[in-house]
Amino acid sequence: MKSFHRINRIVLFLLAFGVAATISAQDLTGTLKKVKDSGTITIGYRDASIPFSYLDDSQKPIGYSMDLCYKIVDAVKATLKMPNLNVALQPVTSATRIPLIANGTVDMECGSTTNNIEREQQVSFVVTTFVTANRLMSKAKSKMVNLEDLKGKTLVSTSGTSNLKQVTELNGTKNLGINIVTAADHPAAFQMVESDRAAAFAMDDILLYSLVAQSKNPADYYISTVQLSTEPYGIIVRRGDPEFKKVADGAIVAVMKSGEINKIYGKWFLSPIPPKNGNLNVPMSDALKKVIANPTDSGDPATYR
């Protein structure tokens, strides 16, 4: 498993040479060469992962992860000496985000993607930017506390997510007989619970809090206190591209070490946000504070406990 040492070397590099040291054109490889040659860097965004990456009223992608990705863009501009670098925006889903990174369509994905050991075989993760947990959301009147409460009932999760994989595996190993169905995106899954087509929705708790906060009657819903797993989020980039990852890691570590991360966090989790000006009022967790103090790109959940 990755140690903190590689990330600490990034911090030393930043202190000695600045966030984005320039690289000579002949030395460029991977994503940096692709971006240099094309004049464009492509960001993959989610359209409904509030408050990480979603569309505002003018259909512009905004959110916590988007703000952090633009910090990486700034670092790339400085590294390549391309202040007018074009930024292309490409919508992705839970199912397409990893394939689009792997095949070169998207250079980095800025959403709510969990870093885990399995995914690290396909893509690389920039240092962790958020830590959440897989929980159940149900109607308050039925109050599904854990998976055992869902025996013989229907559970929904979003296609292509680690949450779906986990509940499917637990359903099998525990022989619970839960009818597990998939939805194309988070709002569609929420609507299945809202319309009583599913008894519960398994997803990262911060996304569940966001969906409930935007609903017509937030008091109608219950989010379980029991967590099924720990989910560290990270911006994803192509695997086997240490040059680009070094620039991306450096940009995020700089935001953390400067304290700017607190301002960005406050903007999206402790303040009114578009489009409805709701306030999630979610204080920064101890797990995220630990990451900020000691940045890591580990996909091991134990790192965050």
Side-chain angles (χ1 to χ4, degrees):
M1 182 47 56
K2 301 178 180 69
S3 70
F4 292 127
H5 297 302
R6 176 154 56 85
I7 301 304
N8 287 336
R9 288 199 298 272
I10 293 171
V11 176
L12 293 174
F13 172 83
L14 292 172
L15 293 175
F17 300 105
V19 174
T22 57
I23 302 172
S24 60
Q26 62 267 30
D27 294 332
L28 291 175
T29 61
T31 300
L32 289 179
K33 186 178 189 307
K34 172 180 178 287
V35 170
K36 180 74 171 180
D37 292 345
S38 67
T40 298
I41 186 167
T42 303
I43 291 177
Y45 69 89
R46 302 292 298 278
D47 63 3
S49 286
I50 299 173
F52 297 92
S53 180
Y54 66 103
L55 298 176
D56 64 11
D57 286 336
S58 62
Q59 300 302 293
K60 175 186 175 183
I62 59 173
Y64 176 77
S65 296
M66 292 299 297
D67 281 1
L68 292 175
C69 273
Y70 279 116
K71 295 295 182 182
I72 296 175
V73 171
D74 289 343
V76 171
K77 288 179 178 179
T79 299
L80 299 178
K81 295 183 179 179
M82 297 178 70
N84 297 318
L85 179 65
N86 180 54
V87 178
L89 298 170
Q90 170 72 43
V92 300
T93 67
S94 296
T96 65
R97 55 192 170 182
I98 289 178
L100 289 177
I101 284 284
N103 70 18
T105 301
V106 171
D107 297 316
M108 57 180 171
E109 189 263 349
C110 312
S112 51
T113 303
T114 296
N115 180 1
N116 57 39
I117 307 303
E118 181 179 348
R119 285 175 173 166
E120 287 179 351
Q121 306 309 307
Q122 305 172 71
V123 294
S124 287
F125 286 80
V126 178
V127 293
T128 297
T129 54
F130 195 83
V131 184
T132 183
N134 188 12
R135 300 183 194 271
L136 302 175
M137 184 211 74
S138 59
K139 289 284 185 69
K141 61 185 179 184
S142 54
K143 198 173 183 178
M144 300 295 165
V145 175
N146 50 46
L147 285 177
E148 285 72 17
D149 292 338
L150 284 159
K151 286 183 178 180
K153 298 181 173 65
T154 297
L155 171 68
V156 64
S157 193
T158 307
S159 175
T161 62
S162 57
N163 313 77
L164 176 62
K165 183 175 184 296
Q166 183 189 32
V167 294
T168 300
E169 290 175 349
L170 289 172
N171 186 37
T173 57
K174 294 186 176 185
N175 196 28
L176 297 176
I178 301 170
N179 176 36
I180 298 176
V181 298
T182 62
D185 54 32
H186 306 322
F190 181 86
Q191 288 170 8
M192 289 193 68
V193 176
E194 184 180 43
S195 61
D196 294 319
R197 287 175 290 158
F201 173 21
M203 185 45 56
D204 300 338
D205 55 13
I206 188 62
L207 299 176
L208 296 176
Y209 291 134
S210 300
L211 291 163
V212 169
Q214 296 177 83
S215 67
K216 296 177 182 177
N217 298 295
D220 288 350
Y221 301 95
Y222 168 78
I223 297 174
S224 66
T225 56
V226 175
Q227 69 177 59
L228 304 177
S229 66
T230 299
E231 307 284 328
Y233 285 176
I235 295 161
I236 57 175
V237 296
R238 272 181 285 288
R239 191 167 182 261
D241 190 357
E243 196 173 80
F244 182 62
K245 178 167 160 50
K246 183 177 183 180
V247 173
D249 280 335
I252 301 303
V253 170
V255 169
M256 291 178 171
K257 294 305 179 183
S258 70
E260 188 178 3
I261 188 69
N262 296 306
K263 179 180 178 181
I264 296 173
Y265 185 95
K267 173 184 175 182
W268 295 104
F269 296 97
L270 301 171
S271 306
I273 60 174
K276 298 181 180 180
N277 291 320
N279 190 333
L280 297 180
N281 281 317
V282 177
M284 187 179 290
S285 67
D286 289 340
L288 182 54
K289 290 177 182 176
K290 179 182 176 183
V291 170
I292 292 170
N294 296 285
T296 177
D297 60 359
S298 175
D300 182 359
T303 304
Y304 305 92
R305 294 172 189 155

